[in-house]
Amino acid sequence: MRATPEQISQTDEVELIIGNSNSNFSGVTSTMLQVMSQQRGMINLKIMGKHFLPDPSLAISFWQTALMCRKPLKSGKWRIFHARRVDEMIQGVILKYIFRAKIKLVFSSAAQRHRSGSTLWLTRRMDGVIAVSNRSATYLADPPAMINPHGVQITDYVPAKDKLHAWKELGFGGKYGIGILGRVRKQKGVHLFVEACIQLLDKHPDFNAVIVGAISGSNKELVNQWKSQIEQAGLSQRIHFTDELPFEKIPPIFSTLSLVCALSDNEGFGLTVLEAMSSGAAVLATQAGAWEDIIRPGIDGYIVPVNDQAAVTEKMDLLLSDPEKLLTMGQTGRLRVEQQYGVEHEAQRLVDYFRSLQ
């Protein structure tokens, strides 16, 4: 039986320090918090940085970390310092090589770009490097110790018991809902989604679309152009922009959708696909992030090349042509997430790897 966080914190020394250097909330922050919520029942931990913590007692400062890690654990083993950002690697290197902290350094790499010379140097100071996808592993100079994909809180993202009724209750019209969620900008492939909907919704009258996400000032002119195109096509009542919504409203929208599109040019990992699949939606995604690792074409949805309007439209047409197949894809996707991509699986794999390093 897994111990509770309270039982662990009362009986064990701190074995894991997690980097938390960014004062701006990001996808990395979200991942760290979700995984940490599971790890608390597996290993005694502290978080170096106070940003966005649900429990302030988890926070530890750089200087407190340096002091605590002057000596190893009572067992003689060294603590683990887990970095997910370059500046956290810098913190770890300073702790270990300047302050002589008795720590093993681990870096999780999500970036899908070739690293600079300084980042490569930092990466080679790590005791272990983890890639979050097969694609991100190809951008590392040396093979990673393991590939550990992110997971999702499957209790937060659940299918609506009756998707058609739940979609109707949202008030966007239509019998079925399709959507794209995230920041509303070209890099996220929103233009591909809009154009595909303009071409296809008259052919598929039971489907309406929703575009969920913040619109920055620099993208307002572009979004206005899309809205103008939608209006000219006579689809203003069928393609809806919600603008930014509070987080608590996002999972309920996911739960109603029959199809979610994720059409980014690039992603570090891209949790949107897992959130959609966990919510029982079929997915149409580009060859970005970890999506090729996750989606089984024709089973959970389809993968298309990046920035390929024809391919997006073709596959969306195929998906909208068979609502029953959409439902089946959503069900198989949910099962896949339950079996392989729950955040608890990600957390356990990390802890097992940390134990192997100590």
Side-chain angles (χ1 to χ4, degrees), residues 7-301:
Q7 289 171 327
I8 287 180
S9 63
Q10 290 171 5
T11 59
D12 295 337
E13 300 172 280
V14 173
E15 295 183 79
L16 171 64
I17 301 108
I18 301 170
N20 180 28
S21 61
N22 196 342
S23 59
N24 296 316
F25 194 88
S26 67
V28 174
T29 309
S30 176
T31 294
M32 182 275 290
L33 291 174
Q34 291 186 60
V35 174
M36 177 276 298
S37 71
Q38 300 294 319
Q39 289 177 318
R40 291 184 70 187
M42 304 172 184
I43 189 170
N44 198 28
L45 60 83
K46 289 288 186 181
I47 300 172
M48 203 172 83
K50 61 184 180 181
H51 316 297
F52 308 106
L53 298 185
D55 179 356
S57 70
L58 290 170
I60 189 171
S61 71
F62 177 92
W63 298 111
Q64 288 172 321
T65 302
L67 182 62
M68 178 178 68
C69 297
R70 289 174 63 186
K71 295 181 179 180
L73 297 165
K74 293 177 181 177
S75 65
K77 296 179 179 179
W78 287 20
R79 294 176 175 87
I80 301 293
F81 182 90
H82 187 196
R84 291 181 170 92
R85 299 178 174 94
V86 171
D87 56 352
E88 291 166 3
M89 281 201 288
I90 294 171
Q91 291 172 335
V93 167
I94 291 172
L95 284 167
K96 182 169 184 175
Y97 293 102
I98 296 180
F99 289 93
R100 302 299 180 185
K102 305 300 188 291
I103 53 176
K104 296 290 184 75
L105 302 176
V106 176
F107 175 55
S108 285
S109 178
Q112 296 186 15
R113 62 182 183 276
H114 292 292
R115 299 289 190 169
S116 67
S118 59
T119 302
L120 176 60
W121 183 89
L122 286 167
T123 303
R124 286 178 166 161
R125 306 282 83 71
M126 299 295 106
D127 297 288
V129 176
I130 299 168
V132 302
S133 69
N134 285 305
R135 183 180 285 268
S136 64
T138 65
Y139 287 88
L140 292 168
D142 304 304
M146 67 182 294
I147 294 173
N148 187 34
H150 292 323
V152 67
Q153 291 275 16
I154 61 174
T155 55
D156 290 343
Y157 294 90
V158 296
K161 292 181 179 179
D162 183 340
K163 275 186 177 282
L164 301 190
H165 177 73
W167 172 252
K168 182 179 179 180
E169 288 294 302
L170 289 181
F172 295 120
K175 185 177 180 181
Y176 305 100
I178 65 175
I180 187 167
L181 298 91
R183 294 189 181 276
V184 181
R185 55 186 178 182
K186 191 173 181 180
Q187 184 270 331
K188 292 294 186 180
V190 177
H191 62 299
L192 303 172
F193 181 79
V194 169
E195 180 60 29
C197 287
I198 289 173
Q199 293 185 36
L200 296 173
L201 288 191
D202 280 343
K203 180 181 177 181
H204 302 286
D206 286 338
F207 289 87
N208 278 12
V210 63
I211 299 165
V212 180
I215 303 170
S216 67
S218 61
N219 285 295
K220 283 185 178 179
E221 183 177 349
L222 183 59
V223 172
N224 286 336
Q225 291 176 16
W226 295 336
K227 288 180 178 179
S228 178
Q229 293 168 5
I230 291 167
E231 185 176 1
Q232 290 172 16
L235 293 170
S236 295
Q237 300 304 308
R238 298 188 60 197
I239 304 174
H240 303 271
F241 289 82
T242 70
D243 212 330
E244 188 171 18
L245 296 175
F247 172 77
E248 62 269 17
K249 291 190 176 182
I250 302 302
I253 291 178
F254 268 113
S255 76
T256 71
L257 296 173
S258 299
L259 170 66
V260 171
C261 295
L263 306 174
S264 301
D265 293 345
N266 55 75
E267 290 282 348
F269 183 87
L271 282 175
T272 301
V273 159
L274 288 182
E275 292 163 349
M277 291 169 65
S278 185
S279 303
V283 285
L284 175 59
T286 49
Q287 294 170 318
W291 296 339
E292 289 179 281
D293 296 345
I294 299 168
I295 298 168
R296 298 166 296 181
I299 299 175
D300 314 302

